[in-house]
Amino acid sequence: MLAQPRSSRARLRRRTLILAAVVAGFATTALAGYAIAKTFTLNVGKNATVTNFNTHAKTTENVATNSRGFVIYTLSGDSKQHPKCRKDNGCLGFWPPVTVKSSSVKKLSKASAIKGRFGIWKRNGFNQVTLNGHPLYTFSMDSKKNTAGGEALNTFKGTWHVVKSSQQSSGPVMSTPTPAPMPPPPYPGY
């Protein structure tokens, strides 16, 4: 049996390490999304950079964020009666649910510029926060605070949208295309 050249073994080792780091990063992000708070406040991320996943166009908008500054999303058609984002289809790995420890709506608060009514969805061992009946999520690929890369992403039988604030943004509209934040399809549920 012939031995592989040293450079090809080094490349294989490097690729294996990179793959392991990416997998570890996804796992850490997914677990962080499941961190459960006793209370929850929906804040306004002012002048957040929102990138349309399909067109790569960027806008500056005021959007809802969690207490750590990460943008909050909803999935079109996703509800308690018709859950589209589920653990069994892999969705919750990419889109961690916004959760709270207590099932009391009294422990929830939001900035006055975020319109709608809170609710709690008791599902599969955790309490997910809803706004106007729509379950709330963060996006595991959003690595920076006040930055949204999943707007208009079509996956898991729906379209993802940031939760917008009723306050107007004062920032300019930017249209510089940027690379997509996720690898090319197929994604689970695509």
Side-chain angles (χ1 to χ4, degrees), residues 142-154:
D142 287 348
S143 59
K144 293 182 184 176
K145 296 177 180 181
N146 227 26
T147 302
E151 172 65 22
L153 175 60
N154 295 305

Side-chain angles (χ1 to χ4, degrees), residues 5-6 18 22-23 32 34 39 46 48-49 71 77 84 93-94 100 102 128 152 160 175 187:
R6 187 179 306 219
I18 290 170
V22 167
V23 169
Y34 279 110
T39 62
K46 294 187 178 187
T49 302
V71 176
K84 292 181 176 182
F94 287 100
V100 290
S102 172
Q128 185 169 5
W160 293 92
S175 60
Y187 305 109

Side-chain angles (χ1 to χ4, degrees), residues 2 7 10 16 26 37 43 78 97 125 129 131 133-134 138 176:
L2 295 173
S7 63
T16 302
F26 274 120
N43 300 308
D78 188 37
V129 180
L131 185 65
H134 299 286
T138 56
T176 307

Side-chain angles (χ1 to χ4, degrees), residues 32-100:
Y34 279 110
I36 299 175
K38 289 183 181 179
T39 62
F40 176 76
T41 302
L42 204 56
N43 300 308
V44 174
K46 294 187 178 187
N47 297 319
T49 302
V50 178
T51 303
N52 183 298
F53 186 83
N54 300 311
T55 65
H56 308 293
K58 290 185 178 184
T59 59
T60 302
E61 301 182 51
N62 293 337
V63 298
T65 62
N66 64 14
S67 61
R68 294 182 8 235
F70 289 94
V71 176
I72 303 296
Y73 295 82
T74 60
L75 175 61
S76 64
D78 188 37
S79 68
K80 293 180 191 181
Q81 295 77 24
H82 302 286
K84 292 181 176 182
C85 190
R86 302 180 317 271
K87 185 177 182 179
D88 67 343
N89 67 4
C91 180
L92 297 181
F94 287 100
W95 299 91
V98 174
T99 59
V100 290

Side-chain angles (χ1 to χ4, degrees), residues 10-32:
R11 276 194 302 262
L12 180 61
R13 199 171 318 134
R14 192 173 329 126
R15 286 180 184 161
T16 302
L17 288 173
I18 290 170
L19 179 60
V22 167
V23 169
F26 274 120
T28 302
T29 304
L31 289 175

